[in-house]
């Protein structure tokens, strides 16, 4: 951190000088986010020479420096907002969009606020003493609370958990009945000891453990007694944190969470395992699930089973994996029968996940598909139309059914008919569940399938619906790009990117203006490429000097593409950027 402040002084000194004395790219990139886990774009060493540092000014009088990559996307923005010649905002970008910023609101040269944006999340942390550690959270979601819990347990750092806990002042502001408030105080007193107890039990928790998701039931609204007109208190009775621990998954319980302003607060220490440590007794208090030994036994059985996941087959069906998930669904269904109706949602979702995985792992086994269809029908008849849980299960049944309909397992040999049927199901799903959590993916799939079937007008309609109705979802960005691609006819194609054989060289389509150019997208995992390259070479030979070929590789890494070209030389100019189907190219 000392080095960062020294570097800061260097950049600040440059800021007071003329634009000609701008900081270097290396100086801008020497700054690193002070908080762990921030994912921002940092160009590779061989790309930094093509980056640019530019002076920016604000109408309000502030000024600073921005760093852009070779395509003009923002990478960093260091700004002096009050004109005192001292940087007070350090902003970091991913794919040209701001994801994280450090802010100095007291203008002393050190940040006291940390904010996450867009793909980075929604957290807003306060560092009152400016020591680089967050002292309190102004904004944090339940999911982000669970992410912080996992990191605190991995690092065995109670100080990281502490800012997540409900304070006495916050507890008083909730104006809960005295018995509930006193219960919470007792739980908070026990947090340090219980945190250490949890740490001692998680002996196999890997430093590389990765957060997957948080499962909660719907939040409860606690109406304060004798306070008509005052805002009610929202709480989650529990949360189940699912994480990957080096190839196997496991659970941690968050305990109760209360909403205070825009932040969620814990009132107890996290505990290991899939069993919820507490659940509502209907009176605003809690009961311990130790009172339900049958449920505890089932959850222990599920935890043991998840430590024995067989590897997926790389050559087709995997009966062993299917049987594993069928056994998992058996246990989960028994758990569903034991928990209260209000707590069943996350368990039923897991049942659907396991049955869907089993159905796709072994298409010859019909039991898993029959059970999944039956679960879908039960929910559709028992829950209101358009219910989120029904949507979740329905989409997994659809995915399994589609997977089983594909060659060589499907009965229909006409691939176009398979796609027509899939498109029909997607359309019905979108109509039945217009705001479902899987609806953005269904819309994207519908657009892609329509394209495959040469229904470009329909494809654009699906993409537009996705872009308009779910603008904040990652699928919407893909939809927007797809619309632009489908409307390219008659327009100038702009394309530039690193050369595959030498990434330090950037190719630009402008170099080929005035010529007939074929742009061909390929990847080594697509078996069709070999025959396509042979056809393309024949075309180039026939029209020598009149036809050009530019090939865009979509392998995840450069090595995969190069290995293919070493064994199967292909004509044309080849471009590549890491990221495969998610890359900018």
């Amino acid at each position: 951190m000392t080095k960062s402040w020294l570097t800061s002084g260097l950049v600040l000194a440059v800021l007071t000088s003329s634009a000609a004395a701008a900081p270097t790219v290396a100086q801008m990139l020497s700054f690193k986010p002070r908080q762990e886990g921030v994912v921002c774009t940092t160009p590779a060493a061989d790309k930094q020479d093509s980056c640019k540092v530019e002076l920016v000014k604000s109408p309000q009088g502030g000024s600073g420096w921005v760093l852009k990559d070779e395509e003009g996307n923002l990478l960093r923005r260091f700004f002096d907002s009050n004109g005192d010649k001292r940087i007070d905002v350090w902003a970091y970008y991913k794919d040209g969009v701001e994801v994280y910023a450090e802010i100095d609101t007291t203008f002393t040269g050190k940040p006291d606020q940390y904010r996450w944006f867009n793909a980075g999340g929604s957290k807003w942390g306060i560092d009152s003493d400016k020591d680089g550690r967050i002292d309190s959270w102004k904004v944090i979601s339940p999911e982000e609370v669970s992410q912080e819990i996992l990191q605190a347990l991995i690092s065995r750092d109670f100080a990281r958990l502490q800012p997540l806990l409900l304070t006495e002042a916050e507890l008083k502001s909730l104006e809960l009945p005295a018995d509930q408030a006193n219960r919470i105080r007792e739980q908070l007193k026990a947090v340090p000891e219980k945190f250490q107890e949890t740490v001692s039990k998680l002996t196999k928790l890997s430093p590389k453990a990765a957060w997957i998701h948080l499962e909660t039931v719907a939040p409860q609204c606690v109406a304060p007694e004798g306070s008509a007109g005052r805002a009610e208190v929202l709480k989650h009775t529990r949360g189940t944190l699912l994480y990957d621990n080096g190839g196997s998954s496991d659970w941690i319980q968050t305990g109760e969470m209360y909403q205070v302003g825009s932040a969620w607060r814990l009132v107890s220490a996290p505990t290991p395992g899939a069993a919820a440590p507490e659940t509502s007794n209907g009176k605003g208090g809690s009961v311990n699930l130790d009172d339900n030994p049958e449920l505890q036994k089932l959850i222990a059985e599920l935890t043991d089973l998840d430590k024995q996941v067989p590897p997926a087959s790389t050559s087709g069906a995997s009966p062993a994996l299917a049987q594993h998930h069928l056994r998992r669904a058996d246990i989960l269904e028994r758990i569903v029968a034991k928990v209260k109706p209000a707590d069943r949602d996350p368990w039923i979702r897991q049942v659907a996940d396991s049955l869907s995985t089993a159905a796709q792992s072994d298409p010859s086994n019909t039991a898993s598909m029959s059970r999944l269809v039956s679960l879908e029908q039960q929910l559709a008849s028992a829950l209101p139309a358009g219910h989120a849980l029904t949507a979740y299960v329905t989409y997994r049944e659809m995915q399994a059914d589609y997977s089983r309909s594909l060659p060589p397992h499907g009965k229909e040999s006409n691939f176009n008919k398979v796609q027509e049927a899939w498109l029909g199901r997607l359309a019905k799903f979108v109509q039945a569940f217009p705001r479902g959590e899987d609806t953005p993916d269904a819309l994207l799939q519908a657009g892609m399938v329509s394209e495959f079937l040469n229904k470009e007008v329909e494809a654009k309609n699906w993409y537009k619906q996705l872009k308009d109705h779910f603008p904040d979802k990652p699928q919407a960005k893909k939809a927007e790009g797809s619309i632009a691609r489908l409307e390219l006819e008659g327009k100038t194609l702009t394309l530039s990117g690193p050369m595959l054989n030498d990434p330090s060289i950037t190719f630009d389509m402008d170099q080929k203006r005035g010529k007939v150019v074929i742009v061909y997208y390929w990847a080594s995992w697509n078996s069709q490429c070999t025959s396509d390259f042979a056809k393309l070479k024949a075309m180039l030979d026939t029209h020598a000097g009149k036809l050009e070929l530019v090939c865009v590789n979509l392998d995840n890494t450069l090595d995969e593409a190069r290995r293919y070209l070493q064994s199967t030389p292909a004509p044309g100019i080849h471009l590549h950027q890491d990221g495969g189907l998610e890359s900018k190219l």
Side-chain angles (χ1 to χ4, degrees):
M1 190 171 289
T2 302
K3 183 178 179 182
S4 293
W5 299 132
L6 290 174
T7 309
S8 175
L10 176 62
V11 175
L12 296 179
V14 172
L15 181 63
T16 65
S17 183
S18 66
T24 65
V25 171
Q27 286 172 337
M28 295 285 282
L29 291 175
S30 68
F31 282 77
K32 308 296 180 186
R34 291 170 176 83
Q35 299 302 315
E36 296 177 1
V38 175
V39 179
C40 57
T41 302
T42 299
D46 60 356
K47 297 293 182 184
Q48 293 180 13
D49 288 344
S50 56
C51 294
K52 294 180 181 179
V53 177
E54 298 176 359
L55 178 68
V56 290
K57 294 186 178 182
S58 166
Q60 288 74 35
S63 62
W65 301 103
V66 295
L67 175 65
K68 297 181 178 180
D69 65 14
E70 59 184 351
E71 296 177 4
N73 294 311
L74 284 169
L75 299 170
R76 306 286 187 271
R77 178 177 175 270
F78 301 148
F79 202 75
D80 165 26
S81 64
N82 67 342
D84 66 353
K85 307 298 183 182
R86 187 194 295 269
I87 296 293
D88 49 56
V89 177
W90 298 261
Y92 297 79
Y93 293 73
K94 183 177 185 296
D95 298 330
V97 179
E98 186 176 6
V99 292
Y100 169 77
E102 300 172 353
I103 307 165
D104 173 18
T105 64
T106 60
F107 309 112
T108 60
K110 293 183 179 181
D112 59 298
Q113 297 192 14
Y114 300 91
R115 299 199 65 175
W116 284 256
F117 304 103
N118 298 301
S122 64
K123 293 185 293 186
W124 184 348
I126 307 298
D127 176 13
S128 304
D129 55 7
K130 300 197 173 193
D131 65 351
R133 295 193 66 128
I134 291 172
D135 302 311
S136 64
W137 290 101
K138 190 170 183 177
V139 177
I140 188 167
S141 67
E143 291 79 10
E144 290 165 324
V145 167
S146 69
Q147 292 168 358
E148 286 291 313
I149 288 174
L150 181 60
Q151 291 307 313
L153 291 170
I154 289 173
S155 59
R156 298 169 175 259
D157 184 4
F158 178 72
R160 183 158 186 171
L161 183 79
Q162 206 156 17
L164 302 170
L165 298 173
L166 190 71
T167 66
E168 178 62 26
E170 290 169 339
L171 177 57
K172 288 180 179 178
S173 73
L174 295 178
E175 299 181 19
L176 296 171
D179 59 337
Q180 291 186 41
N182 289 333
R183 173 182 61 81
I184 290 173
R185 288 189 179 95
E186 291 303 312
Q187 287 179 286
L188 288 167
K189 287 179 185 177
V191 168
E193 182 180 348
K194 288 193 173 183
F195 177 80
Q196 296 304 327
E197 182 182 335
T198 297
V199 167
S200 67
K201 290 179 179 179
L202 294 174
T203 55
K204 295 182 180 180
L205 181 61
S206 167
K208 296 182 179 179
W211 182 90
I212 299 176
H213 69 94
L214 175 71
E215 293 178 350
T216 61
V217 293
Q220 294 183 4
C221 180
V222 183
E225 296 177 358
S227 302
R230 194 180 74 79
E232 294 87 353
V233 176
L234 290 180
K235 74 170 184 177
H236 280 297
T237 56
R238 61 178 175 81
T240 302
L241 186 174
L242 179 64
Y243 67 96
D244 178 82
N245 197 35
S248 63
S249 58
D250 214 334
W251 294 268
I252 292 169
Q253 297 302 314
T254 66
E256 275 184 322
M257 279 188 271
Y258 285 80
Q259 187 177 34
V260 180
S262 298
W264 286 82
R265 298 283 191 252
L266 297 172
V267 299
S268 60
T271 56
E278 294 181 342
T279 187
S280 171
N281 64 5
K283 301 177 181 178
S286 302
V287 293
N288 198 309
L289 279 185
D290 289 338
D291 297 336
N292 194 335
E294 291 183 51
L295 184 56
Q296 291 281 22
K297 184 179 178 181
L298 286 171
I299 290 171
E301 188 179 342
L302 181 66
T303 302
D304 290 340
L305 179 65
D306 280 343
K307 294 176 181 177
Q308 307 166 33
V309 182
S313 172
T314 58
S315 58
S318 179
L321 186 62
Q323 287 302 318
H324 169 87
H325 279 281
L326 280 171
R327 289 196 296 272
R328 193 173 191 276
D330 290 340
I331 300 171
L332 286 164
E333 286 177 346
R334 287 153 62 196
I335 291 174
V336 169
K338 294 293 181 183
V339 300
K340 295 181 179 181
D343 297 334
R344 288 175 179 168
D345 186 295
W347 300 108
I348 293 173
R349 288 170 184 252
Q350 288 193 61
V351 173
D353 288 336
S354 284
L355 291 176
S356 181
T357 301
Q360 294 177 69
S361 299
D362 185 8
S364 65
N365 187 325
T366 59
S368 51
M369 198 66 204
S370 297
R371 289 171 61 180
L372 186 55
V373 171
S374 176
L375 175 61
E376 177 190 2
Q377 292 172 343
Q378 289 176 47
L379 293 173
S381 61
L383 296 175
H387 195 280
L389 182 57
T390 309
Y392 187 91
V393 175
T394 299
Y395 199 63
R396 273 130 198 89
E397 181 272 314
M398 287 169 53
Q399 290 174 315
D401 183 59
Y402 172 63
S403 174
R404 292 162 66 92
S405 71
L406 295 172
H409 308 291
K411 297 178 181 178
E412 177 58 66
S413 58
N414 186 322
F415 192 63
N416 278 19
K417 287 186 178 180
V418 174
Q419 297 303 311
E420 288 279 11
W422 177 229
L423 181 59
R425 291 214 65 185
L426 290 167
K428 288 181 180 178
F429 179 86
V430 170
Q431 184 176 10
F433 307 102
R435 303 304 299 177
E437 60 191 271
D438 293 303
T439 302
D441 188 65
L443 287 166
L444 184 64
Q445 291 286 329
M448 294 166 64
V449 175
S450 296
E451 281 198 68
F452 176 83
L453 296 170
N454 293 318
K455 299 179 178 181
E456 291 195 0
V457 174
E458 286 187 28
K460 282 193 280 189
N461 288 336
W462 289 118
Y463 292 139
K464 187 176 185 303
Q465 190 175 340
L466 171 54
K467 182 174 73 76
D468 292 345
H469 294 175
F470 300 92
D472 298 329
K473 297 294 183 181
Q475 294 94 334
K477 191 170 184 179
K478 292 186 177 184
E480 191 173 355
S482 297
I483 292 171
R485 171 173 49 77
L486 288 171
E487 294 178 345
L488 273 174
E489 187 172 349
K491 297 180 181 178
T492 300
L493 174 67
T494 57
L495 176 66
S496 65
M499 300 279 283
L500 190 150
N501 60 341
D502 186 355
S504 66
I505 300 174
T506 299
F507 167 84
D508 194 300
M509 186 61 78
D510 284 340
Q511 300 167 15
K512 301 295 181 182
R513 293 290 170 220
K515 296 185 178 181
V516 177
V517 185
I518 296 173
V519 181
Y520 177 69
Y521 288 77
W522 69 280
S524 61
W525 41 262
N526 186 345
S527 59
Q528 186 177 325
C529 292
T530 303
S531 61
D532 279 357
F533 278 132
K535 296 174 185 176
L536 290 166
K537 185 178 184 306
M539 294 172 69
L540 291 171
D541 291 343
T542 302
H543 305 283
K546 300 177 182 178
L547 183 63
E548 298 281 346
L549 174 64
V550 176
C551 302
V552 181
N553 173 260
L554 296 177
D555 281 304
N556 287 319
T557 66
L558 196 59
D559 288 342
E560 293 173 276
R562 286 178 172 172
R563 280 196 298 270
Y564 176 89
L565 291 178
Q566 286 172 358
S567 60
T568 312
I573 295 170
H574 290 263
L575 312 181
H576 172 87
Q577 268 186 310
D578 285 351
L581 292 171
E582 302 300 322
S583 71
K584 291 181 181 178
L585 287 176

